[in-house]
Amino acid sequence: MASSVPEETPIGRAVARPLLHKLLCHRHLPWVLAAAAVVFTLPSLWAGLELDDYVQRLKLTDSPTAQATGLDISSSPFAIFTFLDGNVARNRALMDVGVAPWWTLPDLKASFMRPLTALTHSLDYLLWPDTPVLMHLQSVVWYAALAAAAVLLYRRLVDSRLVAGLAALLFVLDHAHGTIVGWLAARNAIIAVFLGVVCLLGHDRWRRDGWRAGAAVAPILLALSLLAGEAGIATGVYLVAYALVLDRATWRRRFATLLPYVIVIIAWRGIWSAAGFGVHGLGDYADPIGEPSRFLTAVAERGPVLFLAQWFLPPSEIYYVLTSVGSWLGTAQWGLAIAVLAIVGWALAPLLRRDPVARFWTLGMVGCIALVCSSVPTDRLLGFAGLGAMGLIASLAAPALDRISAPRLTARRLTKPRMALAVVLLATHGLLAPIALPVRAAMPNGPKSLTAWLYADPPLDDSVANQHVILVNAPSAIHAGYLPILRANRGEPIPKQTLAICPSFSDVRLVRTDKNTIKVTPTDGFLGTRLDRLFRAESFPMQAGQTIELTGVAVEIDAVSPHGRPTIVSYRFDAPLEDSRYRWLLWSDGDYVPFEPPGIGEAVELRGVSLDQSKS
């Protein structure tokens, strides 16, 4: 196969190559990079549990308090990736206890079929249920295996060992992988990518070397990748790209080789749907099949941002946060992404014309980025896209690496603009990424101070088991749902109900209309942030006059915006607001303090929570 960089120049044959070149071309590079993968992600061992990890722990430890949280959807360990199964009664139970907010779509579904990964988590909780360090160690080992497999794939597909070695190095050090290593619930992404890479190795050996067993082994590996996580479908993108630009058989034969993989994907999807897995009503999720126009809009919005995060900085999660709170900086980040996309496209054009392997990487990267645009933009979705991206980056940067580290040995020159781009890429992925990777592995969902600030976890005595906890102004209404989950994980009594009554970031006016009712009017309305809309997509608007009946309280929507978002909501409790069954808590300067509801006819004005307060 063609290579974008010659293995050695006429001058280079007579003079020893630099140490870095020798390392990248060394036959033991798979072992070296596997060790590097362990070293750079070692801080993840102390990342602890976060978000979905707490939910999965309740399911896998057969916690006696799991039923009280409404999370006992199934006793099967294979259900640990089923967070909401679309059952109205069970969703109502989650809303009742406060795990899900009151505006949750009644038949909301977020259920994923990942039995292979579920087995690895079951092993964790069988052998070391109270030792997250060892759970994280398993994820690190999986990442080391992925690192070794990536070296083998790059070396099979790229003629230049320098380019292949550089691509593998950059892939292993990619800071975007910090989340999938450091967050236990994201382990499925590591396993899916690993099995996908091994599948591609088997397919290439079948098609180029005539290894007949590959015709059976590779489809089996694709099936295993899909059973590890839905992300495994991206393996199919690279298989199609391989048939289009790398396979040398007739077109009829090329497409015939894809038939076993098509059968596997159809069978997997059929089982996936028949077993009740799927997503419905989840905010920011666009179904490529059921909502094609919405999906294409999502590709146009999120695709450039994910591309920017993969090739440069900042992480795509920054865009999600900025657009969630309505900051103009989110639009600026998207504009920067478009500009960078154009520059990279210009730089890649000559390479794509002459190098089929570069075209393979491009098709794979673009297809994989498009696939993940169906979900919330986050770097943990970039595992498969990174394979192609790092192959291209290495092809662009290797000549610059030669010019910088061994100018006497390099015959080929780059134009100044391409040289500048290559240097920036090397600085980003060779200098910044190795620093960012261990940091992101240690803090997979952001700084610990931020996540602790978002959770609602005030100290509560055991009497709370007979009380309804009313959180007046929690920093995040969604994270407030973790109050019963965190307490259940610690074996502590959980409230009868947890209810967040105000949106997170808006100024709000509370008016006591009678002894049992309080009316809430936020300046920016409810469901104003993308995070708040996670439990109810915008395609399911709410209506004025609609009432949501929960245990002990009726939530009445008095007015809505043109988008169907509540603007005025009344909470009508079964007893007077001063009743001892209610524990009112106000978030103030990082702590929850007791709150006294206003008198009948009186009003209280509260300032919205600011992200700056998370630093205090």
Side-chain angles (χ1 to χ4, degrees):
M1 294 184 185
S3 171
S4 56
V5 178
E7 183 64 41
E8 55 182 353
T9 66
I11 300 175
R13 294 192 186 101
V15 185
R17 306 296 292 181
L19 179 61
L20 178 60
H21 292 64
K22 290 181 178 180
L23 174 63
L24 294 177
C25 299
H26 200 281
R27 63 190 180 94
H28 292 314
L29 186 64
W31 296 105
V32 172
L33 289 190
V38 172
V39 171
F40 280 90
T41 60
L42 211 57
S44 68
L45 298 187
W46 296 275
L49 306 182
E50 292 194 357
L51 298 170
D52 298 346
D53 298 338
Y54 291 109
V55 177
Q56 294 179 347
R57 186 178 189 277
L58 284 181
K59 291 172 177 284
L60 288 170
T61 56
D62 196 23
S63 168
T65 51
Q67 185 173 2
T69 63
L71 290 168
D72 60 327
I73 294 173
S74 170
S75 59
S76 169
F78 297 115
I80 65 169
F81 290 100
T82 293
F83 303 102
L84 301 105
D85 65 352
N87 181 285
V88 175
R90 282 193 282 266
N91 285 354
R92 181 69 66 181
L94 291 170
M95 295 163 63
D96 244 351
V97 77
V99 170
W102 60 260
W103 58 78
T104 299
L105 188 70
D107 59 344
L108 183 66
K109 179 186 285 189
S111 179
F112 307 99
M113 187 176 76
R114 300 166 183 173
L116 187 59
T117 303
L119 281 175
T120 71
H121 290 290
S122 296
L123 181 65
D124 283 335
Y125 283 96
L126 176 66
L127 299 178
W128 35 73
D130 300 314
T131 313
V133 167
L134 295 179
M135 300 180 189
H136 283 287
L137 182 60
Q138 185 187 165
S139 294
V140 169
V141 170
W142 278 109
Y143 189 59
L146 171 58
V151 177
L152 298 178
L153 180 65
Y154 285 121
R155 284 188 168 178
R156 279 199 67 87
L157 297 183
V158 181
D159 288 342
S160 167
R161 288 178 76 84
L162 173 63
V163 174
L166 180 60
L169 175 65
L170 298 182
F171 180 79
V172 171
L173 298 180
D174 188 357
H175 66 90
H177 297 161
T179 299
I180 63 175
V181 181
W183 190 16
L184 291 173
R187 181 189 295 164
N188 64 91
I190 311 175
I191 301 176
V193 178
F194 167 70
L195 291 168
V197 169
V198 179
C199 170
L200 293 172
L201 283 167
H203 181 78
D204 181 65
R205 189 178 171 193
W206 168 35
R207 298 306 302 142
R208 279 208 293 164
D209 300 347
W211 184 49
R212 294 184 179 181
V217 171
I220 291 173
L221 288 166
L222 171 61
L224 292 174
S225 179
L226 290 166
L227 293 176
E230 288 78 3
I233 192 71
T235 309
V237 174
Y238 283 101
L239 290 166
V240 171
Y242 190 101
L244 290 175
V245 299
L246 296 184
D247 203 316
R248 291 294 174 256
T250 63
W251 284 106
R252 182 175 180 179
R253 179 60 182 162
R254 295 188 200 188
F255 289 116
T257 63
L258 296 177
L259 184 59
Y261 304 106
V262 172
I263 293 173
V264 166
I265 292 173
I266 291 175
W268 164 78
R269 178 70 191 202
I271 296 171
W272 191 78
S273 299
F277 294 96
V279 174
H280 168 70
L282 203 63
D284 274 320
Y285 181 86
D287 186 353
I289 298 176
E291 303 171 296
S293 61
R294 187 164 175 246
F295 172 70
L296 291 175
T297 301
V299 170
E301 177 202 357
R302 303 167 190 173
V305 173
L306 289 165
F307 174 86
L308 178 65
Q310 180 65 82
W311 279 66
F312 298 98
L313 289 169
S316 57
E317 290 88 349
I318 300 295
Y319 173 79
Y320 183 75
V321 172
L322 292 174
T323 54
S324 181
V325 298
S327 172
W328 64 269
L329 290 173
T331 303
Q333 185 174 340
W334 183 86
L336 174 63
I338 292 295
V340 169
L341 186 59
I343 293 171
V344 171
W346 163 81
L348 283 175
L351 180 64
L352 295 178
R353 284 195 294 267
R354 69 174 183 266
D355 188 354
V357 176
R359 294 196 290 273
F360 167 76
W361 295 133
T362 301
L363 288 173
M365 177 192 68
V366 171
C368 290
I369 287 179
L371 276 179
V372 300
C373 286
S374 62
S375 186
V376 172
T378 170
D379 286 5
R380 65 183 170 85
L381 302 175
L382 293 172
F384 275 102
L387 283 171
M390 296 310 156
L392 291 170
I393 290 172
S395 296
L396 286 174
L401 184 64
D402 262 351
R403 291 289 295 176
I404 294 170
S405 61
R408 294 185 303 111
L409 308 183
T410 307
R412 185 178 170 193
R413 295 184 178 182
L414 290 175
T415 61
K416 288 184 179 180
R418 287 186 172 86
M419 182 67 176
L421 176 62
V423 170
V424 172
L425 288 169
L426 285 172
T428 300
H429 295 278
L431 298 177
L432 296 180
I435 298 172
L437 175 58
V439 174
R440 298 191 72 179
M443 301 183 293
N445 288 290
K448 293 292 185 181
S449 59
L450 175 62
T451 53
W453 177 75
L454 289 171
Y455 287 131
D457 192 22
L460 300 170
D461 55 52
D462 290 353
S463 65
V464 76
N466 299 311
Q467 290 184 313
H468 300 247
V469 172
I470 316 299
L471 302 174
V472 178
N473 60 337
S476 168
I478 301 301
H479 286 76
Y482 277 86
L483 190 153
I485 295 173
L486 294 172
R487 293 184 64 84
N489 268 281
R490 296 192 295 261
E492 299 171 353
I494 67 172
K496 279 189 172 181
Q497 182 182 66
T498 301
L499 181 65
I501 66 171
C502 296
S504 304
F505 300 106
S506 176
D507 294 349
V508 65
R509 177 181 174 85
L510 287 76
V511 178
R512 176 86 172 269
T513 56
D514 60 46
K515 64 178 182 178
N516 291 21
T517 307
I518 191 165
K519 180 174 292 190
V520 177
T521 306
T523 302
D524 302 324
F526 289 82
L527 280 72
T529 70
R530 301 179 78 157
L531 188 61
D532 286 344
R533 296 194 291 274
L534 182 64
F535 282 75
R536 190 183 197 100
E538 290 188 279
S539 51
F540 298 93
M542 306 191 82
Q543 299 176 347
Q546 183 177 351
T547 299
I548 295 90
E549 296 284 352
L550 302 177
T551 299
V553 60
V555 184
E556 301 173 349
I557 300 175
D558 299 322
V560 297
S561 71
H563 298 289
R565 302 173 191 167
T567 55
I568 304 175
V569 170
S570 295
Y571 297 90
R572 179 168 45 82
F573 294 87
D574 287 353
L577 304 187
E578 295 83 4
D579 193 281
S580 62
R581 75 185 70 178
Y582 304 124
R583 184 177 296 200
W584 293 78
L585 296 175
L586 178 74
W587 190 89
S588 176
D589 295 328
D591 293 314
Y592 284 94
V593 298
F595 174 77
E596 184 177 342
I600 297 175
E602 295 181 353
V604 175
E605 307 279 348
L606 298 175
R607 294 295 303 272
V609 173
S610 168
L611 285 174
D612 291 336
Q613 293 171 290
S614 66
K615 302 174 184 177
S616 61

